[in-house]
Amino acid sequence: MLKLIPKVDRVLEWPEIAALLPGHPRPEVLMAVRQTLDDLRAQVLGGAGGAILERDAVIAAVMACLRRRSSSSLRPVINGTGVVVHTNLGRSPLADAAEEAIHSVASGYSNLEFDLQNGERGTRYSHVEDLICELTGAESALVVNNNAAAVMLALSSLALGRQVVVSRGELVEIGGSFRIPDVMRQSGAQLVEVGTTNRTHIRDFSTAICDATALLLKVHTSNFAIVGFTAQATIAEMAALGHETGTPVMLDAGSGCLLDLSSFGIGGEPTIRQYLAEGADLVTFSGDKLLGGPQAGIIAGKRDLVGPLKQHPFLRAVRIDKLTLAALEATLRLYRDDRSALAAIPTLRMLTTAIAELDRRANRIIKKFGRSLPETVTLLKHRGESSAGGGSFPLLQLPTALIEVKIANASPQMIEAVLRRSPVPVIGRIHRERYLLDVRTILDRDLSALLAAITQAAEECR
């Protein structure tokens, strides 16, 4: 069988393959042929039949390989999971204003580190510092490339070789094996854990403070919650203790929220302004997630604590780039008016959409799609629940409208696989042997691509 595998030169001479050369660089076509033949060799050794070596099959395999090599690995997808801030799907979609800001600075030069007023060198952080202070009430602010970097920078700068006191119940691990104890060790700070997993009192912090104490640290528990017989020291309690002992209080807020969402039934998450007003001296939080901007780590707080961070050598290693800065500034500007933020920032809009509107939207989609889809496809509406995701509101379940996609002679697993491999991949969920799409997280601009994907899936499942 191995002898039947054609040579590379021979395949390149086939008219169907030679016809690819005007539209693709020769090295790309050559690589696709070699990779295809290597794959065929492995399949033959694995016991595959001779059909894969037929000329038409080889040509189709080369063309498919070339398409894969020519396509971007990072692609847009349709999020039908109902998880609003979905880490695996890129977290928060950006507002139109943020997209426009990225384009405006990406296609040419910008005043990234140039002061247009004085004609001198400036600092990249100045583009967002005043905005952050305005929105949070902080005295000073700094932005780095993500919240993990913000925590690392703060600890390295303020607690190198000294002790940081943390509640045992807040020594969290979040996605990517990011563990607070590991970060603290890498930063050069010494961890002092107090209390128990479920209960830590302010007296535990008080007892632990000594001459070597640099910070009292509170950590948002992010993607889990401890319920039942529990207690944790509040920011206000820690701030009072810190003021009494001269020990700064730092909060890793994780996701970070700039708007009070309690009027939408989404409570339990203080805003960054509230944390600072309660006495936190330094707060770190993410620029994406609940804030709804690009991935970034924001540090806000007292001027005398943020100042040393701006001079720390590690800052250059974690500094923010011009595209992220542009998107973050545009997003923050929307927060100057609550109504603008709720309407224009997709994450906030999705989180706060009422179930009545989601029902109407599901009905509109089913009606519109029903006029175009093949008879083998059936769309049904159900009620279900969405989640916030992104390490925020771990117990929050939002009532939502779901669309079940049924295709004749196709299992939910088959539908899921075919839609996931669409030109614009569709990511849904299977629950109780139903393939479901949550309309809360499907953007209006995705509807045409979603209709095309379901139509194609119906053809493939025939």
Side-chain angles (χ1 to χ4, degrees), residues 151-152 155 163-166 171 179-192 217 219:
V151 174
M152 177 78 81
L155 293 175
Q163 295 180 359
V164 177
V165 187
V166 191
L171 294 176
R179 291 182 170 186
I180 288 295
D182 294 342
V183 171
M184 201 168 292
R185 186 163 44 250
Q186 291 296 323
S187 73
Q190 299 171 16
L191 167 65
V192 176
L217 175 63
V219 182

Side-chain angles (χ1 to χ4, degrees), residues 4 8 48 72 86 146 289 332 432:
L4 298 178
V8 172
S72 174
H86 200 306
N146 61 31
K289 298 184 178 178
L332 291 172
R432 295 181 179 176

